[in-house]
Amino acid sequence: MRADPTAKTVATVWGLLVLNTLGSAGAKTIVPLPRSLIQMVTMGALVAAFALALALNLRLRIRASAFLLLLTLLLALSVISSVHLESGFGALFRCARLALFVGTLWLLSRWWDGSPTFVRHHIRMYFAVLGSVAAGLVISPGAALPDLYGGRLVGALWPLTPPQIGQYAAVITGLTVLLVLGRRTDKAGAAVVIVPSLVLLALTHTRTATLGLLTGLALAIGSLILTSAAARRFFTWAVLCVVVAGVGFASALQAWFLRGQSKENFSNLTGRAKVWDALLAAPRSTTEQLFGVGLGDKSFGGLPIDNSWLAVYNEQGLIGVGLVAAVIIVLGGVALLRPPSLERACAIFLISYCAIASYTEAGLGDASPYLLHLTVAASLLAAPAAAAPPPAPEVRRRRAPRWAQTSEVA
């Protein structure tokens, strides 16, 4: 059976969006890649994604949603806050990138039908990214586990940081587990994704991704307990495994969780709290409080902010914080109102994961993997497209009798 070429092209567009959000800053790779080259590749991927989506949807058939409307308002706010150039001309460049990103999502909304189609695209694309990480680990373990990052796993072929790798591994692990519980994939195929992803997640020592995976799965599976026997069995076994691991491997888990940090360093979230305090204490005009200083590189004083809400406050102001909060609240509210289903569970997992990760990771206010996660959730919560009405039966006209036909007289 031949694959639908349109579906393959939609998957290609999604893969290009994933490539665009991988970023250009990270660890040193085996083969040094100039940052300008990486930025050219990622921006080229976004332009290609928009062009392909437009070619697929020349008639501009879209499915309006509150999610896309809120993203569009966030884009407009970003342009307003960036036009004063307080963050330099790079702010306008980032606005253009966000505009192409949101425009591509609008064009893809035509194929949002409440099915797990985009979940499968998501898993395949990020599994390919993790495949490059695993390949780098095999080729050069020293480059993949550098001392600069405390021996944590990084991307040795493409500059990926431990939090990025942990995020991708946690998200596709959670989604694959839910597909297995919903009997949408076989266990052997799921194990091929889950086992390597968990190994890579463990090697990154990423606490946020681990906590997001466990909490997101607990909430997602909890939404299926009343209607799925498989979910009840999995939840029971998971609780038993957690209890056994907590009792038998408490010291090892604590050492993994602390990553060799002191209690003081752990309490201020590896220095993040100092940056947050400085950002909140900085003087701001009323305009800057409301609209922010424009899209930047999610840093303050040369240090990463590592908090989505404070990054949005810094760049898009209190209005931006309100719009991002509205995105989470709207998607979460729609998910809670839907009847139990696999699609609803996957959406709950993605929404809860993004909400948890937003505390120590930035990205909800700009083109990022977190917005792609929320886009998948929005596609899962979309109502199925209405079926087209059947064509009306053709009515054959009876030919008039010969005696009733009139002839023209020349």
Side-chain angles (χ1 to χ4, degrees):
M1 183 176 179
R2 297 181 60 185
D4 182 7
T6 300
K8 293 178 65 176
T9 307
V10 170
T12 301
V13 172
W14 195 255
L16 291 170
L17 289 178
V18 169
L19 176 59
N20 172 255
T21 57
L22 292 182
S24 58
K28 294 181 179 180
T29 55
I30 300 173
V31 179
L33 300 174
R35 187 173 182 181
S36 57
L37 174 62
I38 297 174
Q39 291 176 334
M40 187 182 303
V41 171
T42 54
M43 277 306 302
L46 180 58
V47 173
F50 180 79
L52 280 177
L54 184 60
L56 281 178
N57 196 359
L58 283 175
R59 296 185 179 182
L60 301 182
R61 294 177 178 174
I62 59 177
R63 300 194 67 183
S65 66
F67 172 73
L68 289 175
L69 176 60
L70 289 170
L71 287 189
T72 305
L73 292 176
L74 187 64
L75 168 62
L77 174 64
S78 301
V79 174
I80 293 173
S81 62
S82 301
V83 75
H84 297 292
L85 301 181
E86 291 187 34
S87 298
F89 286 98
L92 295 180
F93 176 80
R94 293 182 181 92
C95 286
R97 174 179 178 241
L98 182 59
L100 285 176
F101 186 86
V102 174
T104 305
L105 297 184
W106 272 106
L107 293 171
L108 289 179
S109 65
R110 175 183 177 181
W111 290 276
W112 296 1
D113 55 2
S115 70
T117 300
F118 281 89
V119 171
R120 298 183 185 279
H121 295 335
H122 215 51
I123 294 174
R124 292 190 188 106
M125 301 310 169
Y126 280 118
F127 187 68
V129 174
L130 293 180
S132 71
V133 175
L137 177 62
V138 172
I139 295 172
S140 178
L145 300 168
D147 294 334
L148 180 63
Y149 284 87
R152 301 171 66 191
L153 180 65
V154 300
L157 299 181
W158 186 276
L160 297 174
T161 61
Q164 285 180 281
I165 299 171
Q167 175 196 165
Y168 307 152
V171 167
I172 69 172
T173 296
L175 291 176
T176 306
V177 168
L178 293 174
L179 288 181
V180 172
L181 294 180
R183 298 181 179 178
R184 303 296 179 89
T185 188
D186 60 280
K187 295 181 180 179
V192 173
V193 175
I194 294 173
V195 174
S197 298
L198 287 177
V199 172
L200 296 181
L201 174 59
L203 291 175
T204 62
H205 288 258
T206 306
R207 295 177 292 232
T208 300
T210 305
L211 181 61
L213 170 63
L214 297 177
T215 305
L217 272 181
L219 294 174
I221 296 174
S223 69
L224 292 172
I225 283 180
L226 296 179
T227 58
S228 171
R232 290 193 291 271
R233 290 193 299 269
F234 183 88
F235 189 82
T236 302
W237 280 106
V239 171
L240 290 176
C241 290
V242 169
V243 172
V244 172
V247 174
F249 305 96
S251 59
L253 291 175
Q254 183 179 9
W256 181 90
F257 196 76
L258 290 176
R259 298 195 314 232
Q261 296 175 342
S262 63
K263 292 183 178 180
E264 180 182 358
N265 197 19
F266 177 74
S267 63
N268 63 26
L269 298 174
T270 322
R272 290 185 177 96
K274 297 179 180 179
V275 180
W276 300 347
D277 293 339
L279 187 151
L280 293 173
R284 293 175 182 271
S285 64
T286 303
T287 301
E288 290 175 342
Q289 287 183 344
L290 292 177
F291 297 97
V293 298
L295 290 184
D297 57 359
K298 313 299 177 287
S299 66
F300 181 80
L303 297 174
I305 297 175
D306 286 339
N307 181 290
S308 284
W309 303 102
L310 291 180
V312 171
Y313 169 69
N314 183 53
E315 298 182 355
Q316 291 136 316
L318 292 173
I319 298 177
V321 172
L323 290 174
V324 172
V327 169
I328 300 293
I329 293 172
V330 167
L331 289 177
V334 173
L336 292 177
L337 292 175
R338 292 294 169 84
S341 65
L342 170 66
E343 291 76 15
R344 177 194 185 219
C346 290
I348 289 175
F349 170 76
L350 291 170
I351 297 166
S352 57
Y353 182 90
C354 290
I356 292 170
S358 66
Y359 185 66
T360 57
E361 296 291 336
L364 286 182
D366 204 349
S368 69
Y370 292 105
L371 284 191
L372 288 182
H373 302 334
L374 293 179
T375 299
V376 175
S379 73
L380 290 165
L381 298 174
E394 182 180 359
V395 179
R396 300 184 59 184
R397 298 181 61 187
R398 296 183 59 184
R399 189 175 181 181
R402 185 178 296 276
W403 59 267
Q405 298 179 7
T406 59
S407 60
E408 294 182 0
V409 179

Coordinates of all heavy atoms in Angstrom, one line a residue, residues 358-397:
S358 N 8.7 24.6 32.6 CA 8.8 26.1 32.4 C 9.5 26.7 33.6 O 9.9 27.8 33.5 CB 7.4 26.6 32.2 OG 6.6 26.5 33.4
Y359 N 9.6 26.0 34.8 CA 10.2 26.6 35.9 C 11.7 26.7 35.8 O 12.3 27.6 36.4 CB 9.8 25.7 37.2 CG 10.3 26.3 38.5 CD1 9.7 27.5 39.0 CD2 11.2 25.7 39.2 CE1 10.2 28.1 40.1 CE2 11.7 26.2 40.4 CZ 11.2 27.4 40.9 OH 11.6 28.0 42.1
T360 N 12.3 25.8 35.1 CA 13.8 25.8 35.0 C 14.3 25.8 33.6 O 15.5 25.7 33.3 CB 14.4 24.6 35.7 OG1 13.8 23.4 35.1 CG2 14.1 24.6 37.2
E361 N 13.4 26.0 32.6 CA 13.7 26.1 31.2 C 13.0 27.2 30.5 O 11.8 27.4 30.9 CB 13.4 24.7 30.5 CG 14.2 23.5 31.0 CD 15.7 23.6 30.7 OE1 16.1 24.3 29.7 OE2 16.5 23.0 31.4
A362 N 13.6 27.9 29.6 CA 13.0 29.0 28.9 C 12.5 28.4 27.5 O 13.0 27.4 27.0 CB 13.9 30.1 28.7
G363 N 11.5 29.1 26.9 CA 11.1 28.7 25.6 C 9.7 28.9 25.3 O 9.3 28.9 24.1
L364 N 8.8 29.1 26.3 CA 7.4 29.2 26.0 C 7.0 30.5 25.2 O 5.9 30.5 24.7 CB 6.6 29.1 27.3 CG 6.5 27.8 28.0 CD1 5.6 27.8 29.2 CD2 5.9 26.7 27.0
G365 N 7.8 31.5 25.2 CA 7.5 32.7 24.6 C 8.1 32.9 23.2 O 8.0 34.0 22.6
D366 N 8.7 31.9 22.6 CA 9.4 32.0 21.4 C 9.3 30.7 20.7 O 8.9 29.7 21.2 CB 10.8 32.5 21.6 CG 11.4 33.2 20.4 OD1 10.8 33.1 19.3 OD2 12.5 33.7 20.5
A367 N 9.8 30.6 19.4 CA 9.8 29.4 18.6 C 10.8 28.4 19.4 O 12.0 28.7 19.5 CB 10.3 29.6 17.2
S368 N 10.2 27.3 19.8 CA 11.0 26.4 20.6 C 10.4 25.0 20.6 O 9.2 24.8 20.2 CB 11.1 26.9 22.1 OG 9.8 26.8 22.7
P369 N 11.1 24.0 21.1 CA 10.5 22.6 21.2 C 9.2 22.6 22.1 O 8.3 21.9 21.9 CB 11.6 21.8 21.8 CG 12.8 22.4 21.4 CD 12.5 23.9 21.4
Y370 N 9.2 23.5 23.1 CA 8.0 23.6 24.0 C 6.8 24.0 23.3 O 5.7 23.5 23.5 CB 8.3 24.5 25.2 CG 9.4 23.9 26.1 CD1 10.7 24.4 26.1 CD2 9.1 22.8 26.9 CE1 11.7 23.9 27.0 CE2 10.1 22.3 27.8 CZ 11.4 22.8 27.8 OH 12.3 22.3 28.6
L371 N 6.9 25.0 22.4 CA 5.7 25.3 21.6 C 5.3 24.2 20.6 O 4.2 24.0 20.3 CB 6.0 26.6 20.8 CG 6.0 27.9 21.6 CD1 6.0 29.1 20.6 CD2 4.8 28.0 22.5
L372 N 6.3 23.4 20.1 CA 6.0 22.3 19.3 C 5.2 21.2 20.1 O 4.3 20.6 19.7 CB 7.2 21.7 18.7 CG 7.9 22.4 17.6 CD1 9.1 21.7 17.0 CD2 6.9 22.8 16.5
H373 N 5.7 21.0 21.4 CA 4.9 20.1 22.3 C 3.5 20.5 22.5 O 2.5 19.7 22.4 CB 5.6 20.0 23.7 CG 7.0 19.6 23.6 ND1 7.6 18.8 22.6 CD2 8.1 19.8 24.5 CE1 8.9 18.6 22.8 NE2 9.2 19.2 24.0
L374 N 3.3 21.8 22.7 CA 2.0 22.3 22.9 C 1.1 22.3 21.6 O -0.1 22.1 21.7 CB 2.0 23.8 23.5 CG 2.6 23.9 24.9 CD1 2.7 25.4 25.3 CD2 1.8 23.1 25.9
T375 N 1.8 22.4 20.5 CA 1.1 22.3 19.2 C 0.6 20.9 19.0 O -0.6 20.7 18.5 CB 2.0 22.7 18.1 OG1 2.5 24.1 18.2 CG2 1.3 22.6 16.7
V376 N 1.4 19.9 19.4 CA 0.9 18.5 19.3 C -0.3 18.3 20.2 O -1.3 17.7 19.8 CB 2.0 17.5 19.6 CG1 1.5 16.1 19.7 CG2 3.2 17.6 18.6
A377 N -0.3 18.9 21.4 CA -1.4 18.8 22.3 C -2.6 19.5 21.7 O -3.8 19.0 21.8 CB -1.1 19.5 23.6
A378 N -2.5 20.6 21.0 CA -3.6 21.3 20.4 C -4.2 20.5 19.3 O -5.4 20.4 19.1 CB -3.1 22.7 19.9
S379 N -3.3 19.8 18.5 CA -3.8 19.0 17.4 C -4.6 17.8 18.0 O -5.5 17.3 17.3 CB -2.6 18.5 16.6 OG -1.9 17.5 17.2
L380 N -4.2 17.3 19.1 CA -4.9 16.2 19.8 C -6.3 16.6 20.3 O -7.2 15.8 20.4 CB -4.1 15.6 20.9 CG -2.8 14.8 20.5 CD1 -1.9 14.6 21.7 CD2 -3.1 13.5 19.9
L381 N -6.4 17.8 20.7 CA -7.6 18.3 21.3 C -8.6 18.9 20.3 O -9.7 19.3 20.6 CB -7.3 19.4 22.4 CG -6.5 18.9 23.6 CD1 -6.1 20.0 24.5 CD2 -7.3 17.8 24.3
A382 N -8.1 19.0 19.0 CA -9.0 19.5 17.9 C -10.1 18.6 17.6 O -10.0 17.3 17.7 CB -8.2 19.8 16.7
A383 N -11.3 19.1 17.4 CA -12.4 18.3 17.0 C -12.2 17.7 15.7 O -11.6 18.3 14.8 CB -13.7 19.1 17.0
P384 N -12.6 16.4 15.5 CA -12.5 15.8 14.2 C -13.2 16.6 13.1 O -14.2 17.2 13.3 CB -13.1 14.4 14.3 CG -13.1 14.2 15.8 CD -13.2 15.5 16.5
A385 N -12.5 16.7 11.9 CA -13.1 17.4 10.8 C -14.5 16.8 10.4 O -14.7 15.6 10.4 CB -12.2 17.5 9.6
A386 N -15.4 17.7 10.1 CA -16.7 17.3 9.7 C -16.7 16.6 8.4 O -16.0 17.1 7.5 CB -17.7 18.4 9.7
A387 N -17.4 15.5 8.3 CA -17.4 14.8 7.0 C -18.1 15.5 5.9 O -19.1 16.2 6.2 CB -18.0 13.4 7.2
A388 N -17.6 15.5 4.7 CA -18.3 16.2 3.6 C -19.6 15.6 3.3 O -19.7 14.3 3.3 CB -17.4 16.3 2.4
P389 N -20.7 16.3 3.0 CA -22.0 15.7 2.7 C -21.9 15.0 1.4 O -21.1 15.3 0.5 CB -22.9 17.0 2.6 CG -22.0 18.1 2.2 CD -20.7 17.8 3.0
P390 N -22.6 13.9 1.3 CA -22.5 13.1 0.0 C -23.1 13.9 -1.1 O -24.0 14.7 -1.0 CB -23.4 11.9 0.4 CG -24.4 12.4 1.4 CD -23.6 13.3 2.2
P391 N -22.5 13.7 -2.3 CA -23.0 14.4 -3.5 C -24.5 14.1 -3.8 O -24.9 13.0 -3.6 CB -22.1 14.0 -4.6 CG -21.6 12.6 -4.2 CD -21.5 12.7 -2.7
A392 N -25.2 15.1 -4.2 CA -26.6 14.9 -4.6 C -26.7 14.0 -5.8 O -25.9 14.1 -6.7 CB -27.2 16.3 -4.9
P393 N -27.7 13.1 -5.8 CA -27.9 12.2 -6.9 C -28.2 13.0 -8.2 O -28.9 14.0 -8.2 CB -29.1 11.4 -6.5 CG -29.8 12.2 -5.5 CD -28.8 13.0 -4.8
E394 N -27.6 12.6 -9.3 CA -27.8 13.3 -10.5 C -29.2 13.0 -11.1 O -29.6 11.8 -11.1 CB -26.7 12.8 -11.5 CG -26.8 13.5 -12.9 CD -25.7 13.0 -13.8 OE1 -24.9 12.1 -13.4 OE2 -25.7 13.5 -15.0
V395 N -29.8 14.0 -11.4 CA -31.2 13.9 -12.0 C -31.1 14.0 -13.5 O -30.7 15.0 -14.1 CB -32.1 15.0 -11.4 CG1 -33.5 14.9 -12.0 CG2 -32.2 14.9 -9.9
R396 N -31.5 12.9 -14.1 CA -31.5 12.9 -15.6 C -32.8 13.5 -16.1 O -33.9 13.2 -15.7 CB -31.4 11.4 -16.1 CG -30.1 10.7 -15.6 CD -30.0 9.4 -16.2 NE -30.0 9.4 -17.7 CZ -30.0 8.3 -18.5 NH1 -30.0 7.1 -17.9 NH2 -30.0 8.5 -19.8
R397 N -32.6 14.4 -17.0 CA -33.8 15.1 -17.7 C -34.3 14.2 -18.8 O -33.5 13.7 -19.6 CB -33.3 16.4 -18.2 CG -32.9 17.4 -17.1 CD -32.5 18.7 -17.7 NE -33.6 19.3 -18.3 CZ -33.6 20.5 -19.1 NH1 -32.4 21.1 -19.2 NH2 -34.7 20.9 -19.6

